[in-house]
Amino acid sequence: MRRARSIAGDTVNLLLYREQGRSDDAAEEALWRLNPTLAEYGPALPAGVWVILPEIEQRPSAAAPVSAWD
């Protein structure tokens, strides 16, 4: 598993985007499951917090567009 250190003022979404290039709901949910104690820091993480990054696909799968004729 890969770990990353937070920078002062990081949010979970910002940390995910910086480290993995995405911050969608699936990536955020996986991160929270691996790091349940992050909520104790509040919305912004202090500097130096080690965060375990989830092993997920780099790009989320694209949803098929919905057509009125389907």
Side-chain angles (χ1 to χ4, degrees):
M1 282 193 187
R2 210 171 118 221
R3 297 184 331 157
R5 240 183 176 161
S6 65
I7 298 171
D10 269 352
T11 61
V12 170
N13 284 335
L14 181 60
L15 182 83
L16 270 172
Y17 190 76
R18 184 177 65 239
E19 295 294 328
Q20 295 193 326
R22 63 184 270 196
S23 62
D24 55 90
D25 290 341
E28 189 174 340
E29 181 179 346
L31 185 131
W32 283 113
R33 286 181 191 225
L34 290 172
N35 302 281
T37 59
L38 282 182
E40 295 173 6
Y41 293 107
L45 300 172
V49 176
W50 282 105
V51 178
I52 300 171
L53 298 172
E55 295 178 16
I56 50 179
E57 296 177 14
Q58 288 299 328
R59 298 283 177 222
S61 59
V66 178
S67 172
W69 293 272
D70 287 343

